Amino acid sequence: MNNLIDILELRDLLNDHLSENNNFESIYSSLYSQNSELLPELEKRVYDYFSFLELPEEPTIYDYLLLSLKEKDVVASFNWDPLLIQAYRRNILHFRLPRVIFLHGNTAVGVCIKHKQKGYLHTTCEKCGEQLAQTRLLYPIEEKNYHADQYIRNEWNLLTCALKDAAIITIFGYGAPSSDQSALELMQNSWRNKQTELTEVIDIRRSSELRNIWTHFHFAPQRFDIYKKFFKSWMACHPRRSVEAYTDQTIFAEFISNNPIVKQQTLEDVWEWFRELQ
């Protein structure tokens, strides 16, 4: 958020509102409180920038992440960009994949609020035939009341239900920013006194900093691991078998060997490797 203004080339639009602290969320929040006439153009530029991003043809971490999980799993993302959806669409024809939910909206997801339907943007509602509408991306940081948006509220409800039964939780690159107080409160309420077998964090920051952040969430994992790279994580070392492998090791006291993902050059090779784990 601190360099988003330059990445999106918004200085021409926001020139009169810039200061030493050019945090995008702070500026947007200020404009929102003023009901500024700049809001529609600002929101359009943000949406357009993220919606145009595309995955390369070769395999990415998005592909490996989805393929490492099964349909019983859930991926909850805060990302606006469509990359996770793009990975989902090119892998779903070959494997059963986890449910994907977007806690801050997404440029590749469309919704029909009237019939409580969601799907790929530019497709139609199965009930009324109307084209699905864009999801909202931007909220003022002082009043990020996600319960006021029906689609976002439902996504958070799905996450809350998933967390109740989760044996393993992986937190991948999420910093739990203090500015997003509503999201933090929702997660803290969901995780309060939550018992998990394993919680792992994938992040490049110092371990002490990460432990300090997640200690405040009042959940009690039996084991808490930190990795700097996805491919070192438990799910990447036991793809599509993560819970089963952990249960065999800890409950049944069996000696298990890792089955780490082998990186491939093409998606076809990736699919071939994962087919043995169907």
Side-chain angles (χ1 to χ4, degrees):
M1 290 302 167
N2 289 330
N3 60 1
L4 194 62
I5 290 173
D6 290 321
I7 292 175
L8 272 61
E9 299 180 351
L10 296 173
R11 287 187 176 272
D12 63 320
L13 183 67
L14 302 175
N15 186 57
D16 294 337
H17 302 274
L18 299 180
S19 62
E20 291 185 4
N21 176 22
N22 286 332
N23 180 278
F24 175 81
E25 283 191 313
S26 298
I27 293 175
Y28 176 81
S29 184
S30 175
L31 294 173
Y32 186 91
S33 66
Q34 302 168 32
N35 195 25
S36 171
E37 60 183 12
L38 298 178
L39 288 178
E41 176 62 20
L42 179 59
E43 291 170 351
K44 179 180 183 301
R45 290 199 193 185
V46 171
Y47 202 100
D48 287 347
Y49 173 84
F50 284 98
S51 65
F52 290 144
L53 297 178
E54 293 185 5
L55 285 179
E57 293 184 2
E58 60 267 18
T60 69
I61 287 183
Y62 291 95
D63 301 293
Y64 290 118
L65 169 65
L66 292 175
L67 292 170
S68 295
L69 302 171
K70 288 187 172 182
E71 64 271 21
K72 64 182 174 62
D73 301 313
V74 172
V75 177
S77 174
F78 288 95
N79 291 0
W80 293 332
D81 64 67
L83 304 182
L84 187 59
I85 288 291
Q86 290 170 11
Y88 186 93
R89 298 187 75 166
R90 68 191 192 183
N91 288 288
I92 190 60
L93 297 178
H94 303 273
F95 294 85
R96 292 181 178 180
L97 299 178
R99 173 180 289 186
V100 178
I101 59 180
F102 293 96
L103 304 174
H104 278 182
N106 187 269
T107 60
V109 175
V111 294
C112 174
I113 298 300
K114 180 179 179 180
H115 295 105
K116 298 181 181 180
Q117 299 287 308
K118 69 176 181 179
Y120 301 132
L121 190 64
H122 305 308
T123 62
T124 57
C125 172
E126 295 178 356
K127 293 187 176 182
C128 66
E130 295 292 326
Q131 184 163 316
L132 298 179
Q134 296 178 351
T135 59
R136 182 181 174 185
L137 304 183
L138 301 179
Y139 300 83
I141 58 176
E142 285 87 357
E143 48 181 278
K144 279 191 175 179
N145 184 2
Y146 298 125
H147 292 292
D149 185 291
Q150 186 172 329
Y151 163 71
I152 297 297
R153 180 172 68 247
N154 185 63
E155 298 293 275
W156 278 97
N157 287 340
L158 291 173
L159 175 62
T160 300
C161 291
L163 286 172
K164 290 180 180 179
D165 298 322
I168 297 177
I169 297 175
T170 300
I171 303 161
F172 192 173
Y174 177 63
S178 58
S179 61
D180 202 349
Q181 196 59 43
S182 292
L184 297 182
E185 290 175 359
L186 285 167
M187 284 191 293
Q188 286 173 331
N189 291 334
S190 298
W191 288 354
R192 193 175 301 278
N193 301 320
K194 166 68 180 174
Q195 297 285 335
T196 61
E197 297 298 327
L198 168 65
T199 297
E200 55 182 2
V201 176
I202 307 170
D203 201 301
I204 61 174
R205 288 175 294 177
R206 294 191 303 272
S207 296
S208 58
E209 180 182 356
L210 294 168
R211 292 184 183 278
N212 182 58
I213 290 173
W214 295 109
T215 297
H216 295 299
F217 277 76
H218 306 292
F219 65 104
Q222 298 297 316
R223 175 175 163 184
F224 187 87
D225 293 340
I226 296 175
Y227 305 98
K228 291 190 180 297
K229 295 182 178 181
F230 166 76
F231 292 101
K232 297 292 185 180
S233 68
W234 185 268
M235 79 164 71
C237 289
H238 303 279
R240 301 184 78 83
R241 300 288 190 277
S242 56
V243 174
E244 293 84 352
Y246 192 83
T247 300
D248 287 345
Q249 183 186 77
T250 58
I251 296 180
F252 298 112
E254 295 182 4
F255 178 81
I256 61 171
S257 299
N258 288 352
N259 182 36
I261 293 172
V262 178
K263 297 181 185 179
Q264 308 291 339
Q265 296 298 314
T266 69
L267 281 171
E268 288 75 15
D269 290 338
V270 172
W271 297 330
E272 185 64 29
W273 189 88
F274 273 95
R275 281 194 184 99
E276 295 185 6
L277 302 175
Q278 284 275 43

